Amino acid sequence: MNSPLMNQSISHYCYLIYLLLVFVPFIRAASLPSNINIGVVYCDRNATMVKDAVRLALEYINNDNQTLRGVKLIGLQKYFDSYPLISRAHSACNLVSDNVAAIIVSDSCKSYLADIFYTTNELSIPTIIADHYIIEDIATPFTISMFPSKGLFTNALMDLLEYYDWSDFVIIYDDILGFRDLEYFFVASGSRKWKIKVKKLSVQAMGTSILMDVLHDVRSSGIRQIIAHCHHTIIQSVLYTAMHLAMVNIRYSWVFTDLQASFANIEEFQMSQVNLTMFALGQSTYRNHAPYNIHENWLATLDNQNGLQEMLVYDAIHALAYALDNMAKDERTIRTKTKRCSEEEIQVVDNGGKIMKYFKDVQFEGLTGIVNFSTNATRDDIELTILGMNEQGLTSMGVWTKQTDPLKLISSRRNGTFMFGEQPLRVTTIVEEPFVMEKPNASAKGLTGGDRFEGYCIDMLKELAKKMNFKYEIYLVPDNKFGSKERGEWNGLVRELQVNKADVAVAPLTISSEREEAIDFTKPYMTLGISILIKKPAPSQPDYFAFLQPLHDIVWVSVLITYLSISFVLFMINRTSPYEWKRLSDRNLVAKSDAGNLDYLNSLWWCFGSFMQQGVDYSPKSTAARVVGGAWWLFTLFLVTSYTANMAAFLTITRLDTPIRGMEDLVTQSKVVYGTVVNSQPLSFFSTSSNFLYNRMFTYMDTTPGAICKNTNLCVEKVRDENYAFLWDSTVNDYFVQKHPCDLMTVGNTFDIKGYGIGLPRGATYRDDFTIALLELREQGFLEELQKKWWTDRGDCPKTELIGTSDIPTQLGFAQFSGMFCVVGAGAGLGLLTSLIENLVFIRHNQVKKKRKKKAQCDIQFRKYRSASLLQSSSREDMA
């Protein structure tokens, strides 16, 4: 049984335990003062949003039972007065007075940070920079930045550029963010083979014209990847000006580096399909905030007021609160001391270094993402949300951290889609055979709209609509012109696109630099040039001496001289060679009737027979004559073969005796009038060309009545009915050449090579969709089949009648036979040399023969004499 004393003891113990549970949490904070002052520095007295952020942050900290229990943070508003300059030191001292444990500097004081840092460093006061500003160059051991370090942001930017595979881009920077923030980037990018151009934009002197000039230079460079290191307050102006220069579309890519860029009002650019990328700090600086227990109405206000700075201030106060809480856990307190500042005695915190130490242990999830600090008092473990824009606005494509390797993003739009919904495209065109033609009896058949037309462009448009899934309506351009400038204003198809009356121009519209300044083009769907269309002249009458045409006159004369010369050489050899017919007959080795076989007349006959591939009853007998004859045979073989081949070409080609064979002939004559169509690309080419010949032609066309026609068909009729040459697109001229009555032809080479493209309004978001579809049609062979259908298959003229003067074979000249003339000449020379050798051999042979004969006669005489002597001796002996 329990006694009353025991029950009383138990009650006392329970009461003590209760007191411990209630007051122990306050014991760990009791080492800190009950009130801690925080100095919040403003340089702009109208910084209402920053003041609201400070108030809400302090309310949350002071009402939080988990952080700094029993301690109240008091925010003291401090203003930095920069005027006059001599008062800056007093203003800086005022910032750190009133025993503030730390000061938080807002965005508007960036111009005076050096003055503030000097004072806080001298007095060892922690200074938190809650600013969208990189302060590494002027930081001190007592400064803490809520903003990422330069190196960290540079790594994020370079990872993004490598992901996009950029190698050639432009950097535009303003004088608010400045060039110094980019220094780390240029140092780090030195090892990359990047081509970087830099443009400065002066915000202080910025007007529409200045911004227009900068962006126009970028556009003229041809580079379509742009990094805009610009303050978020001018992003809308930059994009709006770029839109007027057609730089806000799917062909251009923009990267904005300001972490407040996502707060810029860019909703009007959502449908532009521009490739736009932005960075956001953490995941709280965009539409879908993940707030650190903050009122939703205030977040909405921040969103509308570009509130990254306010969020940084909010997180800075929390970071300071957590650092002080960590200090209290270690039973540390805040000491104060009287120090001299600018010749004044003020009470300041004495152990600011200890407070700085505890900042390095802070880590929490704030409005701007994870908040923690490196040994350099900067945030290095941040998250950067990478935003891209699509039809719904900005969306998150991924998150970058320093551990990200490699960077992976999701697309912000559906690539390769082209959607007009149920609204049909307004397609403008112009009648031009065979591209666009009205069907025969279209009105009688009741055909309307696009059903009235046929042709190459109509078939191509139908296939594009099928491939890209859109509807369309076709109408003819009212003024029946392709498009050129008249008194500074465009007309024709170009005008229809420029004033947005048409969405697409599908026609034989030539791509030119001048038109490119007014409208956009797809890649060319057909390549062409300017050619000369004339009436085909009547075939020339047969020439009685046409058989001589394969060889040039000088060749025939040379052959005749060679023929006479070789015959004479054979004649000379016959007279001089001891082994030829004449000398053999003289020695009675052949019949006397054969002595004249190779006299001059017979030599001529023998050479002629060889030339005609026929034989004669006799042939050279000596080696010398046969050498000459062999050279002659080789010469005639090559000559006859070449003549036969070229003669066959001349017989199969009908020569057209045209007075004009090219551009030079057209300019130098006066009988044939030449011209083109009014307000057309060929006429514009002649008028703007720097070539003297083309300028001369334009002057002629401009001053000659009847040289310029209203349309293509009228020009073609003038070619048929008058002495007229039509300068027009080669594809159209080729079409008319193949049409009945087959009385037209093109002469000369094509020039001014260009392409036909589909025209679109400037900056049209669907330009690349059309280009990709055209490339697919080309790869599939569809465009080639269309050209065959409308040109070759529907031609009325045989191919033989389409041959122009450029196809007529040329005569063979002396240059082609010079080698063979050398061969036959060398053969004649070698024959004469052989004849000389034969004579020398013959003479030597006769001399040896005479010596032998004389010796033989001497031997006979000697034998006769000896025989006579022996008989005489024998007779004497007998007589004796």
Side-chain angles (χ1 to χ4, degrees), residues 66-80:
Q66 302 298 323
T67 306
L68 290 178
R69 292 176 180 175
V71 177
K72 183 179 181 181
L73 296 182
I74 300 175
L76 303 179
Q77 294 184 1
K78 301 283 186 176
Y79 295 98
F80 185 84

Side-chain angles (χ1 to χ4, degrees), residues 148 151-160 279-283 365 368-370 372 379-386 397-409:
L152 193 70
F153 187 76
T154 295
N155 292 337
L157 180 58
M158 294 185 67
D159 285 351
L160 180 67
F279 291 94
L281 188 58
Q283 299 186 29
E365 182 73 24
T368 57
I370 299 174
N372 58 7
R379 293 174 65 180
D380 286 351
D381 288 332
I382 63 167
E383 294 178 339
L384 291 175
T385 301
I386 299 176
M397 297 191 296
V399 177
W400 182 91
T401 66
K402 66 179 182 180
Q403 290 83 22
T404 302
D405 185 25
L407 178 64
K408 294 182 179 180
L409 301 178

Side-chain angles (χ1 to χ4, degrees), residues 337-500:
K337 185 178 181 180
T338 301
K339 293 184 180 181
R340 180 172 290 277
C341 181
S342 186
E343 300 180 357
E344 295 182 5
E345 298 289 337
I346 59 174
Q347 285 290 118
V348 297
V349 173
D350 184 41
N351 56 343
K354 291 293 184 181
I355 299 176
M356 288 293 298
K357 173 185 175 183
Y358 288 104
F359 266 104
K360 298 173 183 178
D361 298 328
V362 170
Q363 181 167 343
F364 66 97
E365 182 73 24
L367 290 180
T368 57
I370 299 174
V371 179
N372 58 7
F373 302 96
S374 66
T375 55
N376 297 324
T378 57
R379 293 174 65 180
D380 286 351
D381 288 332
I382 63 167
E383 294 178 339
L384 291 175
T385 301
I386 299 176
L387 306 171
M389 190 168 68
N390 59 18
E391 294 80 2
Q392 285 74 42
L394 291 172
T395 58
S396 174
M397 297 191 296
V399 177
W400 182 91
T401 66
K402 66 179 182 180
Q403 290 83 22
T404 302
D405 185 25
L407 178 64
K408 294 182 179 180
L409 301 178
I410 60 173
S411 176
S412 63
R413 70 164 59 87
R414 293 173 297 170
N415 293 325
T417 60
F418 177 81
M419 298 179 64
F420 270 88
E422 295 299 320
Q423 182 179 0
L425 262 71
R426 298 164 296 173
V427 179
T428 184
T429 188
I430 188 171
V431 174
E432 179 81 346
E433 299 182 36
F435 295 93
V436 179
M437 301 175 291
E438 192 166 349
K439 292 179 180 178
N441 301 321
S443 301
K445 295 178 181 178
L447 299 178
T448 59
D451 296 334
R452 294 184 298 141
F453 303 106
E454 64 178 356
Y456 179 95
C457 286
I458 302 301
D459 288 350
M460 181 177 67
L461 178 61
K462 289 179 180 178
E463 191 66 20
L464 289 173
K466 179 181 177 182
K467 195 176 193 65
M468 299 167 64
N469 191 27
F470 66 84
K471 300 177 181 179
Y472 62 89
E473 295 176 350
I474 298 178
Y475 73 94
L476 295 177
V477 59
D479 59 5
N480 197 34
K481 296 178 181 178
F482 287 92
S484 63
K485 274 189 176 181
E486 288 184 339
R487 295 182 293 274
E489 295 290 334
W490 284 93
N491 57 28
L493 297 173
V494 177
R495 178 69 176 175
E496 296 297 298
L497 295 172
Q498 197 177 40
V499 298
N500 291 319

Side-chain angles (χ1 to χ4, degrees), residues 39-288:
V40 183
V41 181
Y42 307 97
C43 294
D44 179 9
R45 294 180 182 270
N46 297 320
T48 305
M49 294 300 300
V50 177
K51 295 176 183 178
D52 288 343
V54 173
R55 177 179 55 81
L56 290 171
L58 291 176
E59 286 180 2
Y60 178 80
I61 293 295
N62 292 331
N63 294 326
D64 185 8
N65 294 327
Q66 302 298 323
T67 306
L68 290 178
R69 292 176 180 175
V71 177
K72 183 179 181 181
L73 296 182
I74 300 175
L76 303 179
Q77 294 184 1
K78 301 283 186 176
Y79 295 98
F80 185 84
D81 189 4
S82 59
Y83 300 100
L85 295 177
I86 58 175
S87 68
R88 286 190 177 184
H90 296 286
S91 297
C93 292
N94 178 59
L95 300 180
V96 297
S97 60
D98 299 325
N99 294 325
V100 295
I103 64 172
I104 299 173
V105 183
S106 65
D107 177 71
S108 57
C109 294
K110 69 177 83 175
S111 300
Y112 315 113
L113 288 179
D115 299 301
I116 297 173
F117 286 175
Y118 175 79
T119 301
T120 57
N121 184 55
E122 288 292 319
L123 300 177
S124 304
I125 305 298
T127 306
I128 306 173
I129 308 302
D131 174 25
H132 176 214
Y133 190 69
I134 300 177
I135 48 88
E136 296 173 38
D137 297 333
I138 56 175
T140 70
F142 291 92
T143 55
I144 300 170
S145 176
M146 297 298 294
F147 195 74
S149 65
K150 286 183 180 180
L152 193 70
F153 187 76
T154 295
N155 292 337
L157 180 58
M158 294 185 67
D159 285 351
L160 180 67
L161 297 182
E162 289 180 354
Y163 175 81
Y164 284 158
D165 196 24
W166 284 14
S167 60
D168 191 2
F169 52 90
V170 177
I171 297 178
I172 302 175
Y173 73 95
D174 61 16
D175 46 14
I176 298 179
L177 300 185
F179 185 77
R180 298 183 66 182
D181 292 354
L182 298 172
E183 291 177 351
Y184 274 55
F185 174 79
F186 283 104
V187 172
S189 63
S191 59
R192 271 81 169 177
K193 295 181 179 180
W194 289 346
K195 297 179 181 178
I196 307 174
K197 292 186 178 180
V198 181
K199 294 285 183 180
K200 181 180 179 181
L201 181 62
S202 178
V203 177
Q204 295 178 353
M206 189 180 75
T208 304
S209 61
I210 296 176
L211 183 54
M212 183 77 73
D213 291 341
V214 172
L215 294 178
H216 188 273
D217 290 343
V218 174
R219 181 173 175 265
S220 299
S221 69
I223 302 174
R224 296 183 176 180
Q225 289 82 36
I226 304 168
I227 297 176
H229 188 61
C230 302
H231 198 261
H232 64 276
T233 55
I234 68 170
I235 289 178
Q236 184 182 21
S237 298
V238 171
L239 288 176
Y240 186 76
T241 307
M243 184 176 66
H244 282 276
L245 292 173
M247 298 172 65
V248 182
N249 50 60
I250 198 170
R251 293 177 294 170
Y252 282 85
S253 298
W254 294 76
V255 173
F256 290 93
T257 59
D258 189 347
L259 293 185
Q260 296 189 88
S262 60
F263 291 106
N265 184 12
I266 56 174
E267 293 181 357
E268 60 183 303
F269 306 106
Q270 290 177 190
M271 303 302 295
S272 66
Q273 291 196 1
V274 63
N275 301 298
L276 190 149
T277 306
M278 296 178 174
F279 291 94
L281 188 58
Q283 299 186 29
S284 304
T285 54
Y286 183 53
R287 307 292 185 248
N288 298 323

Side-chain angles (χ1 to χ4, degrees), residues 709-723:
C709 308
K710 290 184 178 180
N711 56 55
T712 306
N713 290 330
L714 289 178
C715 281
V716 174
E717 290 302 320
K718 285 175 70 70
V719 173
R720 287 195 169 105
D721 300 337
E722 304 174 17
N723 205 12

